[in-house]
Every structure is written in C-alpha cells, then in structure tokens.
Amino acid sequence: MTSNPRARRMSRRFVGGQSLDEAMAAARTSNRLGKLVSLDYLGEHAGSVAEAQRARDAYLAIYERIAQEKIEANVSCKLTQLGLDLSVEFCEGLVCSLVERAAACGNFLRVDMEGSVYTQRTIELVKRVRARSPAIGAVIQAYLHRSEQDVRDLLAYGCRIRLCKGAYDEPHELAYHRKADVDASFVRLMNLLLESGVYHGVATHDPRMIAETIRFAAALRIPKDRFEFQMLYGIREDLQRALVRDGYRLRTYIPFGQDWFPYLVRRVAERPANLAFFLRHFVR
Ligand SMILES: Cc1cc2nc3c(=O)[nH]c(=O)nc-3n(C[C@H](O)[C@H](O)[C@H](O)COP(=O)(O)OP(=O)(O)OC[C@H]3O[C@@H](n4cnc5c(N)ncnc54)[C@H](O)[C@@H]3O)c2cc1C
C-alpha cells in the first residue's frame, strides 16, 4: 500500500505529506487558519536501536524547523517508535533528549498513548521525565477502566494531559465498549482535567463531548485560553473552523511520513465510511 502512488495520494486525506517540507506547509496553512498544530512523524514499533535513533533524529529536525520558521506547533510521538519494545531505559534516554531540545526551544513533547500493553510503561516513563521537566505531556484514553486513576497520578505531577476516547481494539476486561460508557467516562475525566487548573487538551470530534466541555468550562468560569481542543488533520474541518471562529484554542494533529498505513487503518476502523472513500477513489 505505502509504495503504491495512488494509495499514497489517497492517504493525503488524513496525512500531512510524506516529507517534513510537506508537513511544514500543512502546518503553515493551519496556522494561517488560526489553528495550533502538533506534528507527528509517523512510525511505531522500531525493530532496532538504529531505527529508534533515526526517529529521534527526525524529531530533533522537526523542533529545529518549527523554531526556524516560527510555526505555532508542538510535537507528538509514540514510545514504540522510540524503542519501547527494545528497552524502557533506552527509550527513556531518547525521550529525555527530545524533551531537553523541546525545553530549549520553548516547545513541548506529547507522548501519544498506544495499545494497553504499553499503558503502564508509558505512564511511568512520562511521570519520571515530568518530574525533571514540564516540557512533556501524556495522553489518556477514556475507554480504559484504569484512566481515572492514571489522571489522578499524572495530575499529582502537574502533568499536561490530552484526553481522547481511545483508538485501539481492547479486551472487555480493560475497556468500555459501549459508546454511552466511553462518552460518560470522557465527560468525567474532562471535568477532572478542567478543574485541575493545569492546561490540558480535549481531543475529540464528537459534537456532544465538545458541547459538554464548553458548558463545563463556562460553568466554572474557566477562560477559553486555559485549555485547548484538539482534532485530527482532515477530520471535521467544519467543527475545527467553528471552534476557531468562536475564540477557542484548536490544535490540529498533523501526521506525516512514509509509515502511514497503521495510522490510516485506525482512522478507517473508527469510521468504516472512510473505507468506502478509499475504495471509490482506488477503483476510479
Ligand atoms: C488530536 C488527537 C490525538 C489523538 N491521540 C490519540 C492517542 O494518542 N491514542 C489513542 O488511542 N487515540 C488517539 N486519538 C484518537 C481517539 O482516541 C479517537 O479514536 C478518535 O478521535 C475518534 O473519537 P472521537 O472522540 O472523535 O469520537 P467518535 O464518537 O468516534 O466520533 C465522533 C464523530 O467524529 C467524526 N469522526 C471520528 N473519527 C473519524 C474518522 N476516523 N474519520 C472521519 N470522521 C470521524 C465523525 O463525525 C463521528 O461521528 C486522538 C485523537 C485526536 C483528535
């Protein structure tokens, strides 16, 4: 799929491009539209030390370009891309070098959350690094039963959190599956985050979750610049525009790079209508 030119072109529906130049162009356009950006260099499950180090170098280059071009953007990464499958200590070393660079540029590193086999290691690693620097933040998935405890733990470190529903296929013992349960958990966790006084990200395209967030923030008189909404590149652009127009902070998550296939599969799994989009264009 990734080497097929037609498939590559279609991936542009959700991916900011194959190269850093293309991603920077997408980020500039987003900034012009009043959106903040998070750049994600696509990749997961590095199979060797050299592969993980190459990912680290790619992220260092992203911080460099953001600073040079004065783009309003931070960076999101996955720990398995930085060698979590190889060794926690090795991975933590790479994360620390990224967080140091982020702090030196007045920037920030968001550690995405992957499948539940990585949750504990990810939370522990983020807490250790957060104890040394505020330039790192975590992601919490509302579908996991454990998330409320994780939020409380991370808040004890003053850690910035992105709240999302969760994108992986998890077993019933660990995660809610009914939409109503996931949504109820999302609202509970969003309340905890907004009450904490720390600057967090509410990452959803669900108009009901967005309305609940706006209502709760207004009830607590939390100013619009004390939290942000986050959405994925190419999804619900109408909602993104509406939030910017209404004066909310909105960050678009722009993934880029050649390893876009697993990311695309998650977007299709969330919304099977996306598969029809791809098949239609492929056949055409
Ligand atoms: C900025 C950001 C970062 C994220 N980071 C992570 C992460 O680190 N770990 C993780 O597990 N998950 C992450 N996710 C994904 C998230 O967990 C959900 O899988 C995804 O956002 C869909 O959930 P939803 O809240 O939009 O609500 P849903 O109830 O799934 O969808 C609500 C509405 O949004 C629209 N929509 C949702 N998904 C799609 C799609 N794929 N294509 C087109 N329209 C769609 C539809 O209109 C749908 O009706 C992230 C999401 C965002 C926005």
Side-chain angles (χ1 to χ4, degrees), residues 74-94:
N74 65 26
V75 169
S76 293
C77 73
K78 290 188 172 44
L79 291 189
T80 64
Q81 181 183 24
L82 295 168
L84 187 61
D85 291 318
L86 307 173
S87 134
V88 174
E89 292 71 29
F90 167 68
C91 177
E92 190 165 332
L94 298 192

Side-chain angles (χ1 to χ4, degrees), residues 70-238:
K70 300 191 171 47
I71 298 284
E72 283 276 7
N74 65 26
V75 169
S76 293
C77 73
K78 290 188 172 44
L79 291 189
T80 64
Q81 181 183 24
L82 295 168
L84 187 61
D85 291 318
L86 307 173
S87 134
V88 174
E89 292 71 29
F90 167 68
C91 177
E92 190 165 332
L94 298 192
V95 171
C96 285
S97 58
L98 293 181
V99 170
E100 271 165 32
R101 177 64 61 88
C105 311
N107 209 312
F108 180 75
L109 181 70
R110 173 79 61 188
V111 176
D112 286 350
M113 189 57 84
E114 302 176 69
S116 59
V117 291
Y118 300 108
T119 310
Q120 187 63 29
R121 278 174 281 174
T122 303
I123 300 268
E124 292 299 330
L125 188 151
V126 171
K127 282 197 309 200
R128 282 194 299 276
V129 180
R130 177 62 186 80
R132 300 202 291 271
S133 168
I136 188 168
V139 174
I140 288 288
Q141 297 155 323
Y143 64 13
L144 288 186
H145 300 153
R146 59 176 286 166
S147 286
E148 181 169 339
Q149 192 51 52
D150 287 335
V151 164
R152 292 185 191 281
D153 275 2
L154 289 163
L155 286 179
Y157 286 75
C159 188
R160 287 168 57 178
I161 294 173
R162 171 201 296 151
L163 176 65
C164 66
K165 289 192 185 180
Y168 296 81
D169 189 14
E170 299 293 355
H172 283 265
E173 310 86 78
L174 299 181
Y176 301 111
H177 280 78
R178 287 178 47 231
K179 177 170 165 56
D181 294 333
V182 177
D183 288 357
S185 168
F186 192 98
V187 172
R188 275 197 307 276
L189 298 173
M190 175 273 288
N191 291 357
L192 273 178
L193 295 185
L194 290 195
E195 279 168 354
S196 71
V198 177
Y199 184 92
H200 299 296
V202 178
T204 180
H205 317 90
D206 185 338
R208 274 199 45 239
M209 299 300 103
I210 292 168
E212 285 286 342
T213 306
I214 290 175
R215 195 192 56 71
F216 188 74
L220 266 64
R221 297 182 192 281
I222 297 169
K224 286 178 177 172
D225 61 358
R226 290 304 306 141
F227 65 97
E228 66 186 33
F229 288 105
Q230 298 183 355
M231 294 193 205
L232 302 176
Y233 180 75
I235 297 184
R236 293 304 308 256
E237 296 284 347
D238 56 334

